[in-house]
Amino acid sequence: MGLILEVENGDDDNDAVLVPPPNFAMVEDCIFRSSFPTSSNFPFLQTLNLRSIIYLCPEPYPEENLEFLRSQNIRLFQFAIEGKTDVSTPILKDSVMDALKVLIDVRNHPVLIHCKRGKHRTGCLVGCLRKLQNWCLSSVFEEYQRFAGVKSRTMDLTFIEMFDILSLSQCLYSIIYQYHGYGSKKRRLLYKDENLQKPRLTSF
């Protein structure tokens, strides 16, 4: 069921209806996930004050969406992951690793992760983030399945289980992770190496 928010302006005729994309949710403070946003979702996305979008599909981003990103000064990071990819394919692991590097860099926050339906590719990336956050595997799988529903894929769960978080640390060399708390159980990663190679930006 989709979430619809109404913003009251004191005049019933001028009430703004904010419609999030399907499968929208907060992952962490300043990290969000969803399906592919359409123009009807743009007013809602404006309320998130996004700095970046991580797009996990190989198809070109629609011009209408690019115009919205330009108008809001939002950066687009595209990682061309096919919808059904063998979990043993190195390019899949490399793409998710690169996306994770963008995701944990707080300079890119607030950030929205999305693919087409916000289920499989998005679920895999979030699942790998949860492993980095030391979630137990059963909780990681439960979150993935909650969004994937009856479309849950065993190969995605296998990919998450096999994904080597230690290799992320090896790739990032001198990056220092620092946890900042904003609540009893909330924490996020700070990313502190200005000399690290910049992640690839999709040009408009």
Side-chain angles (χ1 to χ4, degrees):
M1 179 178 295
L3 174 67
I4 298 179
L5 304 177
E6 292 189 6
V7 179
E8 295 186 0
N9 298 319
D11 184 343
D12 290 341
D13 293 334
N14 293 322
D15 286 351
V17 178
L18 302 179
V19 183
N23 258 348
F24 176 84
M26 177 183 283
V27 176
E28 276 294 327
D29 190 42
C30 293
I31 299 177
F32 307 93
R33 62 179 291 169
S34 75
S35 64
F36 204 110
T38 63
S39 58
S40 64
N41 308 130
F42 293 168
F44 173 81
L45 295 184
Q46 284 182 285
T47 68
L48 302 179
N49 297 314
L50 295 173
R51 284 185 183 175
S52 309
I53 283 180
I54 295 176
Y55 173 47
L56 301 175
C57 301
E59 294 81 11
Y61 219 54
E63 184 58 35
E64 184 178 30
N65 290 60
L66 290 175
E67 286 289 347
F68 171 73
L69 298 193
R70 282 192 285 264
S71 71
Q72 302 299 309
N73 197 29
I74 298 171
R75 292 169 291 182
L76 176 66
F77 296 90
Q78 182 172 2
F79 300 92
I81 300 174
E82 295 292 340
K84 294 182 179 180
T85 306
D86 189 308
V87 295
S88 64
T89 304
I91 192 170
L92 175 59
K93 296 177 183 177
D94 292 344
S95 295
V96 171
M97 185 70 73
D98 289 342
L100 265 178
K101 293 174 188 177
V102 173
L103 181 59
I104 64 175
D105 186 345
V106 296
R107 294 170 296 182
N108 298 322
H109 294 180
V111 57
L112 173 69
I113 311 161
H114 78 80
C115 49
K116 285 186 178 178
R117 305 297 180 189
K119 296 180 178 180
H120 305 115
R121 285 166 280 195
T122 298
C124 285
L125 180 57
V126 172
C128 292
L129 172 67
R130 296 310 193 192
K131 287 188 69 176
L132 190 62
Q133 295 176 313
N134 295 318
W135 279 34
C136 67
L137 202 55
S138 61
S139 295
V140 175
F141 285 177
E142 187 280 330
E143 182 178 42
Y144 169 89
Q145 290 166 333
R146 177 158 30 98
F147 286 91
V150 297
K151 300 284 190 178
S152 178
R153 294 177 181 167
T154 301
M155 67 179 185
D156 288 345
L157 299 178
T158 301
F159 174 80
I160 294 170
E161 183 175 9
M162 293 171 55
F163 190 81
D164 183 10
I165 290 302
L166 290 178
S167 64
L168 179 59
S169 299
Q170 293 165 359
C171 284
L172 300 183
Y173 301 113
S174 60
I175 288 178
I176 299 172
Y177 292 109
Q178 207 173 19
Y179 285 93
H180 277 208
Y182 346 69
S184 59
K185 294 184 179 179
K186 288 186 179 179
R187 57 187 182 173
R188 81 180 182 194
L189 292 161
L190 274 186
Y191 186 80
K192 282 194 167 182
D193 189 352
E194 295 296 335
N195 295 319
L196 188 72
Q197 183 177 357
K198 302 299 184 190
R200 176 175 56 83
L201 281 169
T202 298
S203 61
F204 295 133

